[in-house]
Amino acid sequence: MSELTINTLREAWAAGRATLNGWLNIPSAWSAEIMAHGDWDSLTIDMQHGLMGYDTAFAMLQAIHTQRVPAFVRVPWNDAAILMRMLDAGAQGIICPMINTRAEAETFVGACRYAPQGFRSFGPTRASVIYGAEYGRRANESVATFAMIETAQGLGNVEQIAAVAGLDGLFVGPNDLGLSILNVAQSDPEAPELFRAYERILAAARANGIIAGIFTMSPEYGKRMRALGFQFITVLSDTRLLISAAAATVTAFRSD
Ligand code: 3PY
Ligand code: MG
């Protein structure tokens, strides 16, 4: 296996296409394996709001890689310790929450890159086994880095964040962004303030030749985001998919 399976995403993005990312917050290698058979373009293990710890996230990476699906990890915070451990475990990309300033973005990207571009410590224990002995030489180019823009402060600094060298993309967290801008949890996803923020984030990404991604709660909203120009689009999560399929099944059975 090559870590460069992530190139399927890079090629799609370079050709102007959008890719579909699945989101995993159920702490299970088995559910990750099921999702890996689901034809998503990539899968992300959510270690911020997902329910898994390191050992389960590690097993989930192994399960995802049975199908050679590019695997991202949304780390719990901009913390080099967990971020480097997940890269050593074979994650091909990192989504980092709550990036608010250029300095925070530089710290995030630096932790994902070996010197001279960054300060990632060398020890790619699983990565060098599954991707090959040359992994260390290729990792700076292959590992994808997405900084989440999900606060008013991050939005205010988005042009400087997007300009950080080595950053591959911005990733919008509409739930936190709505909470921060509108000061209310579970804010209206149709709020004009949110759409104005999307436009600003898209413009900052475009101006720096990087990708804009977003988390969405329905295929319809995801398709609207694709039409706006987002290219790395998450729709729902394994938990939400299970909830809606279970509810639909129970409702269908009881409907007569
Ligand atoms: C958000 O919407 O705030 C996210 O972080 C997506 O999971
Ligand atoms: Mg968030």
Side-chain angles (χ1 to χ4, degrees):
M1 171 162 175
S2 162
E3 81 280 15
L4 302 176
T5 55
I6 197 150
N7 280 353
T8 56
L9 302 182
R10 292 194 196 282
E11 281 159 19
W13 296 335
R17 293 197 299 276
T19 62
L20 178 60
N21 177 63
W23 198 259
L24 310 179
N25 51 33
I26 297 175
S28 162
W30 168 225
S31 60
E33 188 177 16
I34 293 170
M35 289 288 275
H37 282 267
D39 206 26
W40 305 86
D41 297 309
S42 60
L43 290 171
T44 296
I45 301 169
D46 177 13
M47 296 186 79
Q48 185 186 25
H49 296 300
L51 305 173
M52 70 293 290
Y54 175 81
D55 290 353
T56 301
F58 178 69
M60 291 171 75
L61 274 178
Q62 294 178 300
I64 293 168
H65 286 152
T66 61
Q67 299 309 309
R68 298 176 179 265
V69 178
F72 287 75
V73 172
R74 196 261 290 267
V75 289
W77 203 250
N78 190 5
D79 172 358
I82 185 65
L83 185 161
M84 291 189 196
R85 292 193 81 198
M86 296 318 295
L87 291 176
D88 290 346
Q92 288 135 304
I94 300 286
I95 300 174
C96 187
M98 296 277 177
I99 296 292
N100 292 326
T101 64
R102 182 187 181 107
E104 288 176 7
E106 284 169 349
T107 302
F108 160 50
V109 173
C112 295
R113 307 286 182 226
Y114 293 124
Q117 282 99 328
F119 59 93
R120 179 178 172 192
S121 172
F122 192 79
T125 309
R126 176 170 179 260
S128 62
V129 171
I130 64 168
Y131 301 135
E134 293 296 304
Y135 171 79
R137 301 244 168 84
R138 291 194 305 257
N140 282 1
E141 280 71 48
S142 68
V143 166
T145 54
F146 279 80
M148 290 195 71
I149 304 298
E150 50 180 353
T151 63
Q153 190 190 5
L155 180 65
N157 291 323
V158 71
E159 290 79 17
Q160 293 94 306
I161 292 169
V164 167
L167 186 68
D168 290 287
L170 305 172
F171 191 84
V172 181
N175 295 300
D176 276 308
L177 188 58
L179 175 57
S180 180
I181 295 177
L182 302 165
N183 216 20
V184 56
Q186 299 181 298
S187 60
D188 177 8
E190 300 301 331
E193 293 89 339
L194 264 185
F195 277 75
R196 278 199 291 278
Y198 297 165
E199 293 293 354
R200 182 168 172 185
I201 293 163
L202 282 161
R206 258 194 309 272
N208 289 280
I210 62 173
I211 302 306
I214 190 165
F215 181 91
T216 73
M217 289 297 283
S218 72
E220 294 71 29
Y221 202 90
K223 283 157 79 173
R224 285 168 63 202
M225 295 302 106
R226 180 175 65 187
L228 284 183
F230 287 99
Q231 289 185 271
F232 179 44
I233 299 175
T234 298
V235 177
L236 292 160
S237 64
D238 50 7
T239 301
R240 288 277 144 209
L241 291 167
L242 191 55
I243 289 170
S244 55
T249 302
V250 170
T251 303
F253 183 80
R254 292 187 178 144
S255 63
D256 50 0

